[in-house]
Amino acid sequence: MQLDYKGDKGFRLLNLYERLNKGETVSKETLANDFGVSQKTIQRDIDDLRAYLAETHFDEYGTAIKYSRTKGGYYLVRQEREWFTNEEILALCKILLESRAFCKSEMSAVIGKILMQSAPNDRRRIDDIIRNEFQSYIPVKHGKPLLDSLWRISDMIRSRKIIKFRYERQDKKVRQKEGKPVAIMFSEFYFYMIAFMTDDPKNIPNIPIVFRVDRISEIEETGETFEIPYKDRFNDGEFRKRVQFMYSGELKTVRFRYSGVLEAILDRLPTAKILSEDNGTYTISAETYGDGIYMWLRSQGDKAEIL
């Protein structure tokens, strides 16, 4: 026998809150017909939900149920701090698709969950905008799922655990590594783990080494943890300012002339400082890790001259 929950108040309240939470505008007349109760009963349900929201969202920007004569019903006003706007959802989806960072199944799942933050009608509009782009989506060539690895490595970073792992280099050679992971970063289509190595005699102390996460396998905890003095702690933001194409190495200052679009160089190199300008040609210095900056400067052709 199929049970009928429509006359149950708990069911009505949950169903009403779910509808409002999805961004729907609901009318007492429609709800009364749906549940087979009077409009007065629906009004009491709405009042109960309002009391609940007032109790749990009590600040001045709290979530509340409002009535709109124009919309013809009740709708939920949500805290902007807790929910994405349609504009934000569209921008996030565009950035994710452009990144090409995840295999198609992971990208589909992530974008689907982001879209669920919007109301059904708005969800369809956003889906229409990004559908062609998603259907033509081509992930990077490794095609590996990454979310589990990213979460596991991030948890080890938080716990400051020394790890062992196998790493496949670009030449397909596989090496066993051991190190202290300190950050996960994303750049140029790929996720990277930043670590200080404990097993490489050639490694210069305090020089961070960069590993592509999709090339890491068989991660194991050694059972040891590590501590880094506060003054020596790795700063993701400062490292990002000083690394190009995730090529690590010693910290250096590079000086060069540049005659291209100045905004492009300042966006590309956050540590860039303009030393002088001569008829549209700028002399610039930038602090950077490794040799990745030389690759970028050479890609600028005759617009850049390394000094």
Side-chain angles (χ1 to χ4, degrees):
M1 182 179 68
Q2 188 175 6
L3 296 177
D4 182 7
Y5 291 102
K6 290 187 176 181
D8 181 78
K9 181 169 183 175
F11 176 84
R12 290 199 311 272
L13 288 171
L14 287 172
N15 187 274
L16 175 57
Y17 187 60
E18 184 179 8
R19 291 189 189 188
L20 292 169
N21 218 17
K22 288 179 178 178
E24 295 183 26
T25 299
V26 296
S27 70
K28 288 192 292 185
E29 182 180 1
T30 301
L31 291 170
N33 290 333
D34 288 347
F35 295 123
V37 296
S38 69
Q39 292 190 34
K40 286 185 178 180
T41 298
I42 296 299
Q43 184 62 59
R44 286 195 293 270
D45 290 343
I46 292 172
D47 291 340
D48 288 343
L49 270 182
R50 279 175 163 165
Y52 168 76
L53 293 172
E55 182 70 23
T56 56
H57 299 270
F58 47 81
D59 64 18
E60 60 179 315
Y61 303 107
T63 303
I65 298 172
K66 302 280 189 180
Y67 178 78
S68 169
R69 188 180 299 275
T70 305
K71 293 182 177 182
Y74 295 86
Y75 65 100
L76 192 67
V77 178
R78 302 179 294 193
Q79 295 186 40
E80 289 190 5
R81 292 173 299 176
E82 295 180 357
W83 299 88
F84 289 126
T85 65
N86 292 330
E87 295 84 354
E88 291 166 342
I89 291 171
L90 177 61
L92 285 172
C93 290
K94 286 285 188 179
I95 291 170
L96 280 169
L97 289 168
E98 180 66 23
S99 75
R100 298 176 55 203
F102 298 111
C103 63
K104 197 157 189 176
S105 60
E106 287 190 335
M107 183 63 77
S108 176
V110 170
I111 286 184
K113 290 173 184 176
I114 292 175
L115 287 176
M116 289 299 292
Q117 294 273 324
S118 61
N121 290 337
D122 294 330
R123 194 180 311 149
R124 285 190 288 271
R125 290 170 60 194
I126 299 170
D127 185 61
D128 286 343
I129 294 171
I130 67 171
R131 183 182 297 119
N132 288 339
E133 191 171 352
F134 180 74
Q135 289 176 345
S136 303
Y137 176 73
I138 301 176
V140 287
K141 293 298 182 183
H142 65 74
K144 296 177 181 178
L146 294 176
L147 292 175
D148 287 344
S149 295
L150 292 171
W151 179 257
R152 189 178 177 200
I153 294 171
S154 296
D155 192 52
M156 292 172 175
I157 291 169
R158 183 187 63 82
S159 304
R160 297 193 179 94
K161 293 178 178 177
I162 297 176
I163 62 172
K164 289 182 179 179
F165 58 95
R166 290 171 65 82
Y167 188 72
E168 181 181 340
R169 303 191 320 190
Q170 188 171 354
D171 59 9
K172 303 301 181 182
K173 291 182 180 179
V174 179
R175 295 285 187 269
Q176 188 75 26
K177 298 286 185 181
E178 181 178 299
K180 307 171 183 178
V182 293
I184 291 283
M185 302 182 74
F186 177 79
S187 178
E188 312 285 350
F189 307 116
Y190 304 109
F191 284 96
Y192 296 87
M193 179 184 76
I194 317 299
F196 294 98
M197 307 314 294
T198 61
D199 63 344
D200 187 354
K202 296 180 182 180
N203 183 42
I204 303 172
N206 301 323
I207 297 296
I209 307 299
V210 177
F211 299 94
R212 257 176 53 180
V213 171
D214 59 280
R215 294 179 178 172
I216 296 173
S217 62
E218 299 180 25
I219 306 171
E220 297 179 4
E221 300 176 12
T222 64
E224 300 178 78
T225 59
F226 64 93
E227 290 293 335
I228 298 177
Y230 184 81
K231 65 181 180 64
D232 298 326
R233 285 187 180 178
F234 182 81
N235 187 311
D236 309 36
E238 293 302 316
F239 182 77
R240 183 179 292 280
K241 290 178 185 178
R242 293 168 172 81
V243 67
Q244 297 298 315
F245 303 114
M246 284 295 163
Y247 276 76
S248 63
E250 293 188 60
L251 187 63
K252 64 184 72 173
T253 299
V254 177
R255 196 161 56 92
F256 57 94
R257 291 193 185 96
Y258 187 71
S259 58
V261 179
L262 182 62
E263 184 180 20
I265 198 76
L266 296 179
D267 286 340
R268 184 77 200 191
L269 304 173
T271 62
K273 296 179 180 178
I274 300 171
L275 303 178
S276 63
E277 186 267 338
D278 181 19
N279 198 28
T281 297
Y282 299 88
T283 299
I284 297 172
S285 71
E287 203 173 46
T288 179
Y289 283 104
D291 296 335
I293 188 171
Y294 299 126
M295 295 174 58
W296 190 83
L297 288 173
R298 285 195 290 269
S299 75
Q300 300 303 296
D302 58 7
K303 292 186 177 68
E305 176 190 359
I306 301 169
L307 300 176

